[in-house]
Amino acid sequence: MLKTWYYFLLCWLSLQLEANPGLKVRMTQKGLDYGRRVGMELLKQAVLKETFPSWSGQESFVIVKVNYVISGTGIRLSVAQASATIHADWKMNTWLLKDQGGITVSISGLFLAVVFKVSRDSTGHLSMLLHNCQLSINSVKFKLNGGSSWIYNFLSGHLEKPVRTQLDKNLCLHIKYKIQIVDAQLRKYKVLSQIDAFAQIDYSLVSSPAVFESHINLDLKGTVYPVGNHTDPPFVPAPFALPNQYDSMIYLGVSSYFLKSASLAYYRAGAFNIIISKELGTAFYLNTALLKHLVPEIAQSYIRAYPVLLKLKATSPPAVTLNVDRCILGITGTVEVYAVLPNSTTHYIFAGNVTASTRANWTITKQKLIISLLLKRLQFSLLPSTHGSSEQMLLMKNFLSHTLRSAVIPVINDKLGKGLPLPNLSHTTLTGPVIKMNEGHLVISTDVHYKHEKEGDEDLHSHT
């Protein structure tokens, strides 16, 4: 019996660890190369501004004792090698004389190899830790400034070792500190991104980054929730794969699960419940006089023409169907029609069931995936309490179709117009993004462009 429980526990854990993502991000070798160029440039800029901690030491040679204090400034790095200028103040005490001065230490052929590890922490954030740091120096040369010149050859041979040792120690410690700062910033990064007043996106990692020879893959949860309600949808992501293409820097896979969770979130938040009044009747004036030709009972009840109010309510989350080169949203709901009386109260007239098929068009603007709906088909039926001929039903269908196109769809598109924010790094923008729809998911291929916040128009261009 105990073994059986262990078996079920292991199965449950494996399912949790192998949860399919709603979003996939792939950074290709092209993107990694660009990131390396940007990273090296930022590293050079950062190091040039840094003053490394001073260190002191003492060397004794028979009757000579040398005390020195060294401070590092002006270190210059490149991709493969670096040079540095270090200033040292020295003071020598001997039983013969006392002397002091300065030394300029020139270092060339400085090679720095840094290996860091990226993983997923317990909260789904990206974590970065220093794995290894190695420093090698080709040559160290000394130039005496002041003091007795005869001591130059004596000092240069004995100060090279402590300079190498301390530079190795301090530079790698400095890099470790910087990586710790980056790691702390990554852990503070908001994986829950606000879309608008209705919904939020969970961009947390579901597994650690997968590193391959030609690319790196990130699997993100990609669930959209109503604001303040993080209950998971009653469905799970289906597995999907990104294409074996590497021409772009970044490939982003958006699953139908992500779109369905967005549909459910907006439905739960009431975003598809819309009231159409006379102010929104852009093509015609909504009143009882217009509707009396569609529903004969209106002519008997309303001699005067009163404004009309339409309440549309989705009865289920819009169904998302994602096929090759086509995305369809099916909306099912009810429409209730009210007359607005002079005292601002409303009087129920009739109601019906509506099923609309809309085509979704996708664009990317300002790092956001924008969806806009276009009405394709409409079905309408009156509730049993209201009667009408087939001709009147056709007129009602045409009326509602026109109302949906001219008033309802624009209102929905306006609510969706803020777009779904795409996962991105700070100070980066997408360049030339292309959207391709596939069966069950869509793929965004794009290059990226980095612009430092203090660079103004002098930015780091991608070489595409």
Side-chain angles (χ1 to χ4, degrees), residues 38 57 71 134 147 158 164 170 209 265 272 296 333 337 363 396 399 410 454:
V38 171
S71 60
Q134 292 183 343
H158 293 279
R164 287 177 180 268
N170 282 273
F272 298 107
V337 182
T363 56
M396 179 63 74
F399 163 74
K454 295 183 179 180

Side-chain angles (χ1 to χ4, degrees), residues 38 68 75 85 131 138 151 160 179-180 226 253 303 313 324 338 344 384 394 458:
V38 171
Y68 59 87
I75 296 180
T85 302
H131 182 69
N138 184 35
I151 203 67
E160 180 175 348
I179 290 180
Q180 288 175 341
I303 300 176
K313 181 179 180 180
V324 177
Y338 295 84
S344 298
L394 180 59
E458 298 178 2

Side-chain angles (χ1 to χ4, degrees), residues 15-25 202-208 217-223 235-242 252-259 261 440-441:
L15 288 175
Q16 298 299 309
L17 294 174
E18 297 175 3
N20 292 317
L23 296 171
K24 285 179 173 285
V25 179
D202 188 341
Y203 283 134
S204 60
L205 290 167
V206 298
S207 61
S208 292
N217 282 350
L218 300 176
D219 289 347
L220 310 181
K221 187 170 184 179
T223 303
F235 45 84
V236 295
F240 72 100
L242 292 174
L252 173 62
V254 180
S255 69
S256 58
Y257 166 85
F258 173 81
L259 303 177
S261 69
H441 69 280

Side-chain angles (χ1 to χ4, degrees), residues 102-115:
I103 299 175
T104 299
V105 185
S106 299
I107 299 174
S108 62
L110 188 153
F111 180 83
L112 184 65
V114 179
V115 179

Side-chain angles (χ1 to χ4, degrees), residues 413-461:
N413 286 339
D414 183 65
K415 291 183 178 182
L416 300 177
K418 292 187 177 181
L420 304 173
L422 299 173
N424 68 289
L425 299 175
S426 299
H427 312 305
T428 59
T429 56
L430 307 182
T431 59
V434 176
I435 302 175
K436 180 177 176 56
M437 284 182 282
N438 301 286
E439 193 75 28
H441 69 280
L442 59 86
V443 176
I444 301 170
S445 56
T446 182
D447 286 343
V448 296
H449 172 76
Y450 180 87
K451 183 175 182 179
H452 196 278
E453 58 183 346
K454 295 183 179 180
E455 289 178 351
D457 294 330
E458 298 178 2
D459 31 20
L460 299 170
H461 295 281

Side-chain angles (χ1 to χ4, degrees), residues 79-99:
V79 174
Q81 61 181 11
S83 62
T85 302
I86 297 179
H87 301 289
D89 296 323
W90 59 271
K91 182 177 181 180
M92 179 177 65
N93 298 312
T94 70
W95 62 278
L96 292 174
L97 56 88
K98 295 181 179 182
D99 200 2

